């Protein structure tokens, strides 16, 4: 089987292609392995919504749910068993990629319970527990970049556990995330861990920024406001990449860790499915191309890029000044960007909590049905 040329070109440009989806059917049918062979997929991300959708579709989980019900499993332990089994099996599918890339890719992410997103100690404790349960070196623990999540990120990394930091919306918060990564590496080094095995990605959410800013621009309604629609998300990502370069390409603190095998915390572009039908459906892929980055895509977006996506190698690098100008114009119209990012973070945590609740409900219903 040959790789899709569009996705291969994206990969050749330095962007790791990850799939933002996972299900038992995708694993058992060989679809995930096929995506590795034909769509340049080298990683997988999950979240509560993805697991809820998987569990509610088809019969792939019926036997396991019946077995769990017969042993009296409660809903929380059932979810833990089901999700960690899927992630472990997906890790095994992607293990050859992990080995071939010296651990940089071939990764599968699993999220901590979003209900504890505002408790650093509980988040770190669950991260360690999930790491031990899945027991695969090519797993990432997803921890949200809330204020309380920042110390949990450091604590988890200090234990030698790789972390996917999620729900990043602002460059200011991203800088704190990078600091937390460096803190974690320094503590991991002091504890005797091999830094070449302690990796992290920083998941910077993209499309939701346009959704929120565009709605505020629509409320203003002037020609200047309309002209700025669809520009905030890319400007934000480009400024994030500038921050990445400052810390990991020239920053003295990270340079001091290179001799110990440390690797940069790659920027991961998340929420890359286009929500506004007026925008190109590959916008947040084609325009976010730079070496040493990751783009995690819903399958619909991946298929669109495979069909007609174009790689713009000038989309990120050197675009900082014009991005600052975009933000200045948005602010001049009276839009409070700090409030935009805080709103998005709060909504993000709420959405994950709601999805987790739906996952709990779906699992509870299946357990009850199996017992009756």
């Amino acid at each position: 089987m040959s790789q899709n040329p569009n996705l291969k070109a994206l990969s050749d440009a330095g962007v790791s292609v990850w799939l933002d989806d996972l299900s038992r059917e995708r694993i058992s049918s060989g679809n995930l392995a096929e995506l590795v062979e034909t769509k340049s997929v080298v990683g997988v991300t999950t979240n509560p919504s993805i697991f809820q959708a998987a569990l509610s579709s088809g019969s792939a989980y019926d036997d396991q749910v019946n077995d769990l019900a017969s042993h009296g499993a409660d809903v929380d332990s059932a979810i833990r068993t089901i999700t960690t089994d899927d992630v472990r099996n997906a890790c095994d599918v992607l293990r050859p990629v992990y080995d071939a890339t010296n651990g940089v890719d071939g990764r599968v992410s699993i999220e901590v319970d979003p209900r504890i997103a505002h408790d650093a100690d509980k988040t770190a404790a669950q991260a360690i527990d999930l790491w031990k349960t899945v027991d695969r070196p090519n797993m990432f623990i997803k921890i949200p970049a809330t204020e309380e999540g920042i110390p949990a990120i450091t604590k988890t990394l200090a234990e030698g556990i790789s972390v996917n930091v999620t729900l990043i919306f602002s460059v200011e918060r991203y800088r704190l995330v990078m600091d937390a990564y460096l803190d974690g590496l320094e503590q991991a080094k002091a504890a005797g861990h091999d830094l070449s095995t302690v990796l992290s990605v920083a998941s910077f959410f993209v499309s939701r920024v346009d959704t929120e800013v565009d709605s505020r621009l629509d409320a203003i309604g002037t020609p200047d406001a309309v002209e700025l629609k669809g520009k905030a998300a890319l400007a934000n990502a480009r400024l994030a990449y500038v921050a990445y370069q400052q810390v990991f390409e020239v920053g003295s603190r990270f340079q001091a860790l290179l001799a110990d095998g440390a690797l940069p915390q790659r920027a991961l572009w998340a929420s890359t499915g286009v929500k506004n039908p007026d925008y190109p459906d590959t916008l947040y892929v084609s325009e976010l191309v730079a070496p040493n980055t990751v783009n995690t895509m819903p399958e619909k977006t991946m298929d669109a890029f495979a069909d007609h996506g174009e790689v713009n190698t000038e989309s990120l690098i050197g675009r900082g000044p014009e991005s600052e100008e975009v933000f200045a114009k948005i602010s001049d119209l009276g839009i409070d960007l700090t409030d935009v990012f805080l709103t998005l973070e709060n909504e993000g945590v709420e959405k994950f909590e709601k999805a987790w609740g739906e996952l709990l409900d779906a699992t509870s219903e299946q357990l009850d049905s199996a017992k009756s």
Side-chain angles (χ1 to χ4, degrees):
M1 290 185 284
S2 59
Q3 295 288 0
N4 172 272
N6 293 344
L7 288 163
K8 183 178 185 302
L10 184 66
S11 179
D12 289 344
V15 180
S16 290
V17 178
W18 288 11
L19 174 69
D20 190 28
D21 188 57
L22 185 65
S23 68
R24 188 155 299 175
E25 175 65 23
R26 193 183 287 282
I27 297 168
S28 62
S29 68
N31 174 260
L32 179 58
E34 182 181 349
L35 291 176
V36 174
E37 295 294 328
T38 64
K39 297 282 183 70
S40 296
V41 170
V42 293
V44 172
T45 49
T46 67
N47 60 46
S49 296
I50 287 170
F51 281 125
Q52 189 273 332
L55 191 63
S56 300
S57 302
S59 58
Y61 297 91
D62 288 357
D63 288 345
Q64 185 172 28
V65 170
N66 289 337
D67 181 64
L68 289 166
S70 69
H71 287 86
D74 61 27
V75 64
D76 285 297
S77 63
I79 288 174
R80 174 190 173 83
T81 299
I82 291 167
T83 57
T84 55
D85 281 358
D86 276 2
V87 168
R88 185 183 303 108
N89 292 332
C91 282
D92 290 344
V93 173
L94 288 165
R95 182 60 187 262
V97 176
Y98 172 84
D99 292 336
T101 60
N102 294 317
V104 173
D105 280 311
R107 299 275 179 164
V108 184
S109 298
I110 186 171
E111 191 149 3
V112 295
D113 187 335
R115 295 173 297 180
I116 59 173
H118 295 292
D119 189 315
D121 290 337
K122 287 183 179 179
T123 295
Q126 187 176 90
I128 294 168
D129 193 44
L130 284 170
W131 181 263
K132 292 178 179 177
T133 299
V134 174
D135 192 27
R136 294 294 185 272
N138 53 325
M139 183 177 69
F140 271 132
I141 303 293
K142 287 179 76 175
I143 299 176
T146 58
E147 289 186 11
E148 298 85 354
I150 296 297
I153 293 162
T154 296
K155 288 182 179 181
T156 303
L157 290 162
E159 295 289 334
I161 297 172
S162 297
V163 175
N164 175 345
V165 184
T166 189
L167 284 181
I168 306 172
F169 293 99
S170 71
V171 176
E172 290 74 19
R173 183 59 56 83
Y174 179 40
R175 289 190 180 278
L176 294 178
V177 167
M178 290 188 286
D179 285 342
Y181 176 59
L182 295 175
D183 288 343
L185 287 183
E186 289 164 352
Q187 292 178 28
K189 176 184 174 182
H193 292 291
D194 178 0
L195 296 194
S196 68
T197 67
V198 186
L199 274 69
S200 181
V201 291
S203 296
F204 212 86
F205 279 50
V206 184
S207 65
R208 295 186 195 181
V209 174
D210 269 344
T211 300
E212 180 65 25
V213 172
D214 283 1
S215 69
R216 300 189 187 203
L217 291 169
D218 281 335
I220 295 170
T222 64
D224 287 345
V226 173
E227 178 66 23
L228 288 166
K229 288 184 63 178
K231 295 183 178 180
L234 291 178
N236 198 37
R238 287 164 180 159
L239 291 173
Y241 192 72
V242 170
Y244 164 85
Q245 290 178 300
Q246 291 170 344
V247 172
F248 294 112
E249 293 184 2
V250 297
S252 59
R253 191 175 173 197
F254 178 69
Q255 298 302 311
L257 293 166
L258 284 174
D260 298 295
L263 294 169
Q265 181 188 52
R266 290 185 295 171
L268 180 152
W269 312 120
S271 184
T272 56
V274 174
K275 295 177 173 59
N276 188 331
D278 294 334
Y279 301 157
D281 56 0
T282 61
L283 178 66
Y284 304 124
V285 182
S286 293
E287 296 301 315
L288 293 173
V289 179
N292 217 25
T293 58
V294 181
N295 195 305
T296 184
M297 311 173 207
E299 189 168 23
K300 181 179 178 181
T301 302
M302 184 177 294
D303 288 344
F305 195 88
D307 180 66
H308 53 266
E310 297 180 357
V311 175
N312 178 5
T313 57
E314 298 180 354
S315 59
L316 270 181
I317 299 173
R319 306 289 292 272
E322 66 183 83
S323 299
E324 290 176 353
E325 185 177 345
V326 168
F327 269 21
K329 289 179 179 179
I330 292 172
S331 296
D332 287 345
L333 289 173
I335 293 177
D336 184 345
L337 288 168
T338 299
D339 182 69
V340 166
F341 297 134
L342 182 60
T343 297
L344 288 169
E345 180 181 306
N346 290 336
E347 287 181 352
V349 173
E350 289 172 4
K351 286 177 180 177
F352 279 175
E353 288 178 347
K354 180 181 178 182
W356 192 267
E358 292 171 349
L359 177 59
L360 288 168
D361 291 343
T363 307
S364 179
E365 289 177 9
Q366 293 205 21
L367 286 171
D368 290 343
S369 177
K371 293 173 182 176
S372 61

